Amino acid sequence: METDVLAENRHLADHNRYTLRGAGVRSVDVMGTTGAGKTALIIKLSKIIMERGLRVGVIAGDVTGQDDYDRFQEAGVKAFNLNTGKECHLDANLVDKALDSIDLLDLDFLFVENVGNLVCPADFPLGTDSRLVVISVTEGDDMVRKHPMIFQDADIAVFNKMDLAEYMGVDVERVKDDYRKLTGGKDLMPTSVRTGDGIRELVGRLLD
Ligand code: MG
Ligand code: ZN
């Protein structure tokens, strides 16, 4: 049963990838816990990408409500609200339906903000070009060790709210080291939306 669900999701993810690439839209699935700063980070990245002349949209995924959707709209980022109802993660079927209501020819880049969760999104690829996982220093320094699956699965991992690292007493090098060992040498990207540190490097990775 579970295998069927995951296989069906992979099939629909392939379909979404075909749709997005066919429309010339680059896309990234942004995963991470509630409170890691996904929404603020996406707003910051969107503004820089828009300054470079690209048209950006965001699918705001949440279990219920439209708080993130409102934040995107208020910040001037074109957003589409996507509620899961009760599921704690987005899946390719939900994204497929959302894409049906979006004029993809109006977009060059699409962020998909996943539901705040570091567990099941790893099992449900959405068909985006890449997957980004966001953790923040306010969650401590053991997140990579506690959630190896999602860090192995993601193409890019961000350590956000670095401006609070010293205040939180977080051992940043330890987290970087955990990630390096888990992924066979990849570098965790430190960012701070408040100071802007690491943001341009991250845009570079996304547009690479
Ligand atoms: Mg959010
Ligand atoms: Zn879930």
Side-chain angles (χ1 to χ4, degrees):
M1 173 60 190
E2 191 183 308
T3 318
D4 287 352
V5 169
L6 298 182
E8 173 67 4
N9 185 78
R10 273 195 300 277
H11 170 77
L12 284 167
D14 288 342
H15 171 80
N16 291 342
R17 187 175 296 110
Y18 183 82
T19 301
L20 287 162
R21 288 191 179 169
V25 179
R26 297 280 297 268
S27 58
V28 60
D29 176 8
V30 182
M31 308 174 289
T33 49
T34 301
K38 296 189 297 298
T39 307
L41 181 65
I42 292 170
I43 289 171
K44 187 92 170 179
L45 295 168
S46 296
K47 287 185 171 175
I48 294 172
I49 295 172
M50 289 190 285
E51 279 166 20
R52 298 193 183 178
L54 298 179
R55 299 163 301 172
V56 177
V58 184
I59 292 177
D62 263 308
V63 174
T64 182
Q66 60 174 64
D67 295 81
D68 284 358
Y69 167 83
D70 290 341
R71 283 173 70 190
F72 289 123
Q73 293 285 88
E74 278 159 26
V77 181
K78 183 188 278 188
F80 311 92
N81 201 37
L82 177 56
N83 288 333
T84 63
K86 58 181 169 59
E87 293 295 332
C88 50
H89 57 271
L90 293 181
D91 62 36
N93 180 49
L94 283 166
V95 170
D96 177 26
K97 286 182 186 151
L99 293 178
D100 281 345
S101 65
I102 297 173
D103 187 355
L104 292 176
L105 295 178
D106 262 355
L107 295 180
D108 300 303
F109 198 94
L110 179 69
F111 288 95
V112 182
E113 183 177 343
N114 215 313
V115 178
N117 181 347
L118 279 178
V119 183
C120 23
D123 286 332
F124 291 89
L126 306 177
T128 52
D129 288 311
S130 59
R131 306 191 86 189
L132 168 69
V133 59
V134 184
I135 50 171
S136 80
V137 300
T138 56
E139 297 162 286
D141 48 25
D142 55 5
M143 295 302 276
V144 173
R145 287 197 304 281
K146 281 186 178 168
H147 300 281
M149 290 263 294
I150 204 157
F151 286 93
Q152 270 167 344
D153 186 71
D155 303 287
I156 307 170
V158 163
F159 202 18
N160 196 26
K161 305 191 186 180
M162 286 302 297
D163 51 297
L164 299 176
E166 202 175 336
Y167 180 74
M168 296 300 298
V170 162
D171 185 348
V172 176
E173 286 311 312
R174 180 181 180 177
V175 184
K176 285 183 173 175
D177 205 43
D178 286 342
Y179 182 67
R180 213 175 278 126
K181 281 179 189 153
L182 181 73
T183 58
K186 283 166 72 175
D187 287 323
L188 189 62
M189 300 189 78
T191 57
S192 166
V193 172
R194 189 176 298 168
T195 65
D197 286 346
I199 299 293
R200 284 183 190 275
E201 290 83 351
L202 182 53
V203 169
R205 284 286 297 277
L206 291 173
L207 298 182
D208 190 14

